[in-house]
């Protein structure tokens, strides 16, 4: 929990369903398998930082290192962090006309954790969440001081963080099998890919965690940052060079 967060927060989900609309839901590898097998589309979001720390705030180093994987990038090494997320630009495909989840018992881990944050460096800010104001005015204490009160929720968050660490090598292999090999710089943006659902489903079933890792490239638009990365030996593109979108901050 971020040290800036000191207030007590209560929470009681109203079941409004707003968090199920317009949010790409991060999935574990197992959840991504289930999602694609049922025909759901997955978006792949990638960011990276250099082994020398470029792109990485010092206080985030431990968390970022544990959920990333080293890949060759020019004459240096980049650490890539990959998110497979349910592609939900509008209503989630599992939300029914009454705003109820049709896979509630087997819904993804992150759906069970919202509105809490997975990243320990991002504090919970009620105003940044989709929940209506009344959700924050009653219910049991969620945060007391800097502590998450609900132990069950804390366990789910830890499971999600652990899955991030356990899955990263497999995600790198799957991305490479699909020709996905370009990352944005952490803190500067993401590269976003929308792989063919059948091809991804097949890769999720068949690709293991063995084998060499092919070279990766960083996509950065800012000329000064581009120069800095190149001076560190990184391979850099400043224009989209493949089937992806660059989402800058
Ligand atoms: S899977 Fe269910 S809980 Fe998760 S976003 Fe979709 S409708 Fe909402
Ligand atoms: S937006 Fe908040 S209050 Fe509404 S269903 Fe999601 S978690 Fe519950």
């Amino acid at each position: 929990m971020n040290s800036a967060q000191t207030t007590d927060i209560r929470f009681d989900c109203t079941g409004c369903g707003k968090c199920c609309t317009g949010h790409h839901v991060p999935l574990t590898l197992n959840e991504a398998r289930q999602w694609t097998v049922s025909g759901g589309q997955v978006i792949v979001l990638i960011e990276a930082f250099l082994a020398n720390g470029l792109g990485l705030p010092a206080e985030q180093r431990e968390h970022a290192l544990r959920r990333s994987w080293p890949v060759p990038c020019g004459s240096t090494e980049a650490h890539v962090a990959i998110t497979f997320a349910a592609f939900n630009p509008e209503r989630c495909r599992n939300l029914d006309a009454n705003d109820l989840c049709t896979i509630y018992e087997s819904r993804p881990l992150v759906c069970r954790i919202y509105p809490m944050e997975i990243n320990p460096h991002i504090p919970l800010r009620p105003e940044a969440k989709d929940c209506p104001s009344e959700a924050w005015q009653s219910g049991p204490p969620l945060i007391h001081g800097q502590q998450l009160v609900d132990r069950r929720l804390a366990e789910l968050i830890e499971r999600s963080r652990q899955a991030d660490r356990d899955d990263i090598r497999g995600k790198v292999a799957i991305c490479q099998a699909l020709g996905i090999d370009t990352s944005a710089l952490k803190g500067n943006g993401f590269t976003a890919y929308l792989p063919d659902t059948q091809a991804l489903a097949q890769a999720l079933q068949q690709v293991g965690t063995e084998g060499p890792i092919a070279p990766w490239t960083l996509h950065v638009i800012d000329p000064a940052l581009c120069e800095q990365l190149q001076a560190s030996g990184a391979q850099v593109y400043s224009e989209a060079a493949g089937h992806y979108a660059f989402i800058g901050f």
Side-chain angles (χ1 to χ4, degrees):
M1 197 68 54
N2 188 291
S3 59
Q5 183 176 314
T6 53
T7 53
D8 287 7
I9 297 176
R10 310 181 81 83
F11 182 72
D12 194 13
C13 174
T14 66
C16 69
K18 285 186 182 155
C19 55
C20 306
T21 298
H23 288 279
H24 303 319
V25 177
L27 303 169
T28 66
L29 267 189
N30 276 336
E31 290 168 349
R33 282 188 193 99
Q34 291 160 12
W35 199 266
T36 53
V37 162
S38 68
Q41 200 170 12
V42 166
I43 186 169
V44 179
L45 301 162
I46 315 180
E47 59 179 3
F49 55 92
L50 289 194
N52 67 8
L54 199 56
L56 181 65
E59 69 279 10
Q60 296 183 20
R61 187 170 178 82
E62 189 188 336
H63 173 68
L65 276 173
R66 292 179 77 187
R67 62 187 299 273
S68 63
W69 196 265
V71 296
C73 178
S75 61
T76 186
E77 210 171 49
H79 290 256
V80 292
I82 301 172
T83 301
F84 286 3
F87 183 58
N88 286 346
E90 295 176 4
R91 286 171 69 84
C92 175
R93 63 202 297 269
N94 295 314
L95 196 62
D96 73 12
N98 298 315
D99 290 336
L100 297 175
C101 176
T102 56
I103 61 162
Y104 189 78
E105 293 306 323
S106 60
R107 68 197 187 286
L109 204 43
V110 164
C111 299
R112 299 163 193 261
I113 291 169
Y114 193 91
M116 283 304 298
E117 300 289 352
I118 309 288
N119 186 327
H121 301 288
I122 301 178
L124 174 64
R125 291 192 305 120
E127 67 277 16
K129 298 293 174 175
D130 279 345
C131 312
S133 58
E134 58 266 33
W136 304 102
Q137 287 163 8
S138 60
L142 181 66
I143 306 279
H144 176 61
Q146 296 179 34
Q147 289 298 320
L148 175 59
V149 177
D150 186 332
R151 298 318 303 158
R152 188 191 54 86
L153 200 47
E155 192 266 332
L156 291 176
I157 292 169
E158 189 44 46
R159 266 174 56 195
S160 177
R161 289 177 186 164
Q162 190 58 46
D164 255 3
R165 299 165 197 149
D166 295 343
D167 290 349
I168 183 60
R169 177 64 180 91
K171 288 179 184 172
V172 169
I174 289 164
C175 283
Q176 295 223 306
L178 295 170
I180 293 175
D181 60 3
T182 303
S183 320
L185 187 69
K186 186 172 172 58
N188 190 243
F190 286 95
T191 50
Y193 297 78
L194 266 181
D196 173 78
T197 298
Q198 276 195 346
L200 177 60
Q202 200 173 16
L204 280 160
Q205 299 298 335
Q206 294 175 355
V207 174
T209 56
E210 304 301 319
I213 299 175
W216 285 64
T217 302
L218 295 176
H219 182 129
V220 173
I221 291 172
D222 176 61
L225 196 49
C226 202
E227 252 180 54
Q228 212 181 344
L229 286 163
Q230 283 168 333
S232 299
Q235 164 82 19
V236 185
Y237 293 143
S238 54
E239 289 179 6
H243 49 294
Y244 64 86
F246 173 78
I247 304 171
F249 295 148

